[in-house]
Structure formats: structure tokens, C-alpha cells
Amino acid sequence: MTTRMGITLFLLGLLYVGFVAALIVLLRSWVLVVVVAAALLGAQYWFSDRIALYAMRGRVVQREEYPELYAVIDRLCALADMPAPVVAVSGMDMPNAFATGRNPDHAVVCVTTGLLRRLEPAELEGVLAHELSHVAHKDVAVITVASFLGVIAGLIVRFAFYSQLFGGGRRDQNTAAVFAAVMGVSAAVYAISFLLIRALSRYRELAADRAAAQLTGRPSALASALTKVSGDIARIPAKDLRTAQAFNAFYFTPALGREPGIARLFSTHPSLEQRLDQLGRISAELGEAAAPGGM
């Protein structure tokens, strides 16, 4: 897994180099575009926790409101030797959880009331350990930085389009050729980075599952939670799933009605089968007696 993640990051780095070279050759005002993209990236990085919490209707809760939830998070943070995050709860019935924040000192872990209602204590512990692993490994920062190239490419497509659209009489054959080249390179870079970032996200999810299983010592509890949550999400009305799918990259389990086929290449999460297979192997390594799906 570490090798695959390293290869993906290396390919992203190569893509950055090629893209910057293309900018220098094709676009005279690329500095302005990079500055704007950097500003957007900075805003996303610094305010990701507030944006995600607002978008998913979460609210910060106090210890006296959810003492059991706080107790599990405190215990896991003590085991992992990390600061406790801000704890939030979303009123959504869809069973799920997410973590966000630029580093462990500025992190939020949010669970839905649907998740709290459906899971047993050991299963909830596994889910929370998974989310805290994302915080400890600074996954939000990793994915945000990895997304930078795609953000730039998207901005350049828009910049080139509007420059051409409102260029008026200044357009000539050379301008049209540059416009076509910029659009082509930007579109290609965006498409490739889109796939690589999603591959990186899938590796991060598998890494978080592994870390959670090792932290709690109960891979079967996390496997049980995955199976239960995935099955319950599949029964949620399609219109509600479509609303939630915009935030799949944040979730413990993506809001999908069924396991994707070829669409798994575009998924932010590995398939349920992959995650359960990995947890089964970890269970064997740890010598855990309980089988995945059982307590």
C-alpha cells in the first residue's frame, strides 16, 4: 500500500512539472491564475472544517449532551497519543461519519444521529478510530495539496474560455491556436489528476481502516460497522443519496446505492469487498477470534 501511494504521489509530481512547463510555453498570464488558485487552496485548507460542518448540517456538541461519544473519542485519543478533536453531530438519518481539519490541533470529528442509532459500542469505536486516523495522518492536508493541480487546470479552462469569448477583435489565428492548446492541455491535466487523486483517496481509506483496526485491536468490529452501514445506506431513497454524494470524499462510507462496477475507478473509496478482505487479513495477523461481521 505504501508503495502504491508513493507511486501515485510521484505521478502527481510528474504531472505538476509537465503542467507548469506547458503553462510557461502556452499562457503568458499563468502567474495570475496560479495566484488565484493558491488563494482558493489556502481558503480550502484553513476553513475546510467549517465548510464541511456547515455543508453536512453538523453542530458542535458538548460533553454533557453525548457523554458516551466523548468517552470513546477520549479513550481512542489517549491510545493514539493525539489531542482530542472538536466533536460534532449531524441530524442526518444516513449512517455515516467524517473528520476534517488541517491538522490534529484543528480537527473536527462528526457523526450522524443515524450512525449513533444503528451501531453497537464496539462498532462505533471502530468507525471513530478510522476517522481519527485520517486526522493523525493529516489526510485533509494531503488531499487538498494533491487537488491543487486540478484546481489550477479548472481555473485555466475558465480563464482561457472567457478571454477568448470577450477578446473581441484581438482574436487572430495564433490566438485561436493558443486557446485550443491551453484548453486541451488543461482538460487533459484535469482528467488525469482527477483519476490520480481518487486513487490516492482510496489508498488513504485503506490506510485508515488498517490504522483503526490496529488501534482498537478489533478488526471484526470495524468490518461489522462497514457491512451494517453500507447495507443501510443502500436502502436510503435515491434522492437523498444524490444530495449526499457531493460529500463522498469526506464520509466513512460513500453514499452509494450499490457497489460500482467500472465506476469504482472514479470512486473516492475502495469497494466494500476490498475493505473487508483487508480487515480479514489484519484479523488473522492479530489472531482475533471473531470473524468479520460478528462481535
Side-chain angles (χ1 to χ4, degrees), residues 18 28 30 86-87 127 131 165 168 189 214 235-236 244 249 283:
R28 297 176 183 176
W30 66 273
V86 172
V87 179
V127 173
E131 297 305 330
L165 185 64
V189 167
Q214 292 174 336
R235 289 190 285 271
I236 290 176
S283 182

Side-chain angles (χ1 to χ4, degrees), residues 160-234:
F161 176 77
Y162 287 116
S163 295
Q164 181 73 359
L165 185 64
F166 299 111
R170 295 192 303 272
R171 288 179 299 205
D172 53 27
Q173 189 172 0
N174 290 336
T175 304
V178 170
F179 171 76
V182 170
M183 290 290 282
V185 170
S186 298
V189 167
Y190 183 82
I192 295 171
S193 65
F194 179 89
L195 293 175
L196 289 176
I197 289 163
R198 273 153 182 75
L200 178 62
S201 178
R202 292 194 294 272
Y203 299 152
R204 305 300 291 186
E205 291 297 330
L206 287 171
D209 281 349
R210 171 172 283 277
Q214 292 174 336
L215 180 64
T216 63
R218 299 193 67 179
S220 63
L222 180 56
S224 177
L226 274 167
T227 303
K228 187 180 292 186
V229 168
S230 298
D232 284 354
I233 285 178

Side-chain angles (χ1 to χ4, degrees), residues 8-178:
T8 301
L9 286 170
F10 176 73
L11 290 173
L12 278 169
L14 285 181
L15 206 56
Y16 274 94
V17 173
F19 185 55
V20 169
L23 279 178
I24 294 173
V25 173
L26 298 173
L27 196 62
R28 297 176 183 176
S29 55
W30 66 273
V31 174
L32 174 62
V33 177
V34 172
V35 168
V36 172
L40 291 175
L41 179 74
Q44 179 184 348
Y45 178 74
W46 285 95
F47 302 111
S48 60
D49 51 348
R50 301 179 197 177
I51 295 170
L53 205 58
Y54 175 79
M56 283 171 265
R57 303 190 301 243
R59 69 176 183 90
V60 176
V61 296
Q62 302 304 315
R63 186 177 297 272
E64 54 270 20
E65 295 180 81
Y66 289 89
E68 295 178 0
L69 177 60
Y70 264 89
V72 174
I73 291 177
D74 287 345
R75 182 167 65 253
L76 290 172
C77 288
L79 286 173
D81 190 24
M82 61 182 292
V86 172
V87 179
V89 172
S90 168
M92 293 191 298
D93 185 58
M94 182 181 72
N96 230 316
F98 69 90
T100 185
R102 61 186 182 273
N103 57 47
D105 291 320
H106 301 86
V108 176
V109 171
C110 181
V111 298
T112 67
T113 53
L115 187 82
L116 294 174
R117 183 167 55 82
R118 289 171 170 87
L119 296 190
E120 299 295 328
E123 295 170 334
L124 178 62
E125 181 182 63
V127 173
L128 291 172
H130 172 101
E131 297 305 330
L132 288 171
S133 173
H134 281 308
V135 172
H137 296 154
K138 301 179 181 179
D139 284 348
V140 171
V142 170
I143 297 299
T144 299
V145 172
S147 301
F148 184 48
L149 185 61
V151 171
I152 293 177
L155 281 174
I156 287 176
V157 170
R158 290 169 177 79
F159 179 83
F161 176 77
Y162 287 116
S163 295
Q164 181 73 359
L165 185 64
F166 299 111
R170 295 192 303 272
R171 288 179 299 205
D172 53 27
Q173 189 172 0
N174 290 336
T175 304
V178 170

